[in-house]
């Protein structure tokens, strides 16, 4: 006989009862009553024309026919559970966006804005990778990245996100700060730098300060580390306007005299040119590009 849809609840009740060898335990698992499970089993027995359980005072036990059906039903249920689990994982992965970006930008610029994205897209899950090494966008790698550079990377589509500007900052408690009135005065302070391609020499040239001796007392590989060094009073450092904003807002750093030098490089959203972004990743890119320019 053909398997009809109206038998599926009875088969589910039978499979659970066969696995537990107990109608009451099956009822608890299925959120039914024991009598409802018994009814489903009797319906199945009636339709099939066989006895599936031997009923006795101590409970129930499977007949030979019942064991045969239980093996098939259990295997089918396990297969379906495996498929359902795979579909759920696939759906979860479709909603997960893997991003690679800079630690300094993540900490000071991206994270404070993420609650806005979460409110707009509550189902999207983000994985943010801030490894120093340049990430490859190969199979199993990140969906997209935010890179700092000239905007041209082989094999990648790049969207300009925002420009970068440099200006000097220091802790308001830094000794000698009271004597700083002009950009040239800054050179008398202890100087902190990072490994960016533009540094103190570039900024001083833009500030029309020439011939001054520039001695970098401390050098860090990361922009955030350089800013924290300035916070702790080690000296003045050149700050990127997007990264330093929360430090200035909190009053732990103040801007020193002089211009904001536009950096040669800016921030770009990048992803493989040959690969179509999944909807969750596209939503994240669109949100980034839609940020107001004074926010971005």
């Amino acid at each position: 006989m053909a398997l009809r849809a109206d038998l599926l609840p009875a088969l589910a009740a039978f499979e659970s009862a066969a696995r537990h060898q107990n109608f009451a335990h099956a009822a608890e698992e299925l959120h039914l009553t024991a009598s409802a499970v018994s009814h489903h089993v009797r319906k199945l027995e009636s339709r099939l024309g066989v006895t599936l359980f031997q009923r006795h005072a101590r409970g129930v036990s499977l007949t030979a026919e019942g064991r045969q059906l239980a093996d098939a039903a259990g295997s089918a249920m396990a297969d379906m559970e495996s498929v359902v689990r795979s579909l759920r994982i696939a759906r979860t992965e479709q909603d997960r966006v893997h991003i690679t970006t800079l630690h300094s930008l993540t900490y000071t610029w991206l994270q404070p804005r993420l609650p806005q994205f979460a409110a707009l897209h509550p189902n999207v899950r983000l994985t943010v990778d801030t490894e120093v090494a340049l990430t490859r966008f190969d199979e199993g790698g990140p969906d997209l990245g935010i890179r700092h550079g000239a905007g041209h990377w082989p094999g990648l589509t790049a969207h300009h996100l925002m420009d970068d500007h440099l200006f000097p900052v220091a802790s308001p408690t830094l000794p000698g700060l009271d004597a700083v009135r002009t950009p040239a005065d800054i050179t008398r302070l202890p100087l902190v730098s990072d490994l960016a391609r533009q540094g103190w020499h570039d900024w001083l040239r833009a500030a029309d300060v020439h011939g001054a001796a520039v001695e970098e007392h401390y050098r860090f590989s990361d922009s955030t580390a350089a800013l924290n060094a300035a916070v702790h009073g080690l000296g003045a450092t050149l700050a990127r306007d997007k990264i330093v904003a929360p430090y200035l807002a909190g009053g732990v750093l103040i801007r020193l005299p002089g211009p904001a030098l536009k950096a040669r490089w800016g921030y770009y959203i990048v992803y493989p040119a040959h690969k179509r972004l999944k909807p969750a990743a596209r939503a994240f890119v669109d949100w980034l590009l839609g940020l107001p320019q004074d926010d971005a």
Side-chain angles (χ1 to χ4, degrees), residues 3 7 61 81 90 94 97 104 110 112 115 121 128 170 232 240 274 284:
L3 183 62
L7 282 182
S61 59
E81 285 178 3
Q94 281 298 307
V97 182
S104 55
L110 182 59
H121 303 278
V128 182
H232 292 298
R240 303 181 183 280
H274 68 278
F284 189 75

Side-chain angles (χ1 to χ4, degrees), residues 6 9-10 15 28-30 59 62 79 111 121 137 145 159 165 178-179 190 192-193 200 213 227 229 277 281:
D6 65 338
E15 188 278 333
E28 183 179 354
E29 179 180 85
L30 299 173
L62 286 166
D79 287 344
Q111 283 184 334
H121 303 278
F137 291 89
H159 297 284
H165 293 82
D178 293 343
V192 178
S193 68
W200 282 109
L227 288 176
L277 288 176

Side-chain angles (χ1 to χ4, degrees), residues 164-245:
D164 211 6
H165 293 82
L166 303 173
F167 52 78
V169 296
S171 166
T173 61
L174 179 66
L177 200 60
D178 293 343
V180 175
R181 298 286 184 269
T182 68
D185 296 333
I186 297 174
T187 61
R188 292 194 289 270
L189 298 173
L191 299 182
V192 178
S193 68
D194 56 26
L195 298 183
R197 284 175 169 79
Q198 285 177 282
W200 282 109
H201 288 283
D202 301 280
W203 184 82
L204 289 168
R205 191 179 306 113
D208 203 26
V209 177
H210 304 283
V214 177
E215 182 181 352
E216 296 174 344
H217 287 64
Y218 304 96
R219 184 177 295 170
F220 296 88
S221 61
D222 183 76
S223 299
T224 306
L227 288 176
N228 284 335
V231 169
H232 292 298
L234 291 180
T237 190
L238 276 180
R240 303 181 183 280
D241 58 339
K242 307 305 179 186
I243 296 174
V244 77

Side-chain angles (χ1 to χ4, degrees), residues 32-98:
L32 298 172
T33 63
S35 61
V37 171
S38 179
H39 173 76
H40 279 306
V41 171
R42 289 190 182 280
K43 177 181 178 180
L44 193 58
E45 289 177 323
S46 175
R47 189 69 64 87
L48 296 175
V50 298
T51 299
L52 299 173
F53 284 102
Q54 292 289 349
R55 284 116 172 132
H56 42 77
R58 290 174 299 175
V60 296
S61 59
L62 286 166
T63 63
E65 294 86 355
R67 171 54 59 193
Q68 188 177 0
L69 182 60
D71 289 344
S75 177
M77 289 295 238
D79 287 344
M80 285 191 290
E81 285 178 3
S82 177
V83 171
V84 168
R85 193 179 305 112
S86 296
L87 291 174
R88 284 175 177 166
I89 292 172
R91 178 66 262 176
T92 299
E93 286 306 306
Q94 281 298 307
D95 289 337
R96 179 164 294 283
V97 182
H98 185 179

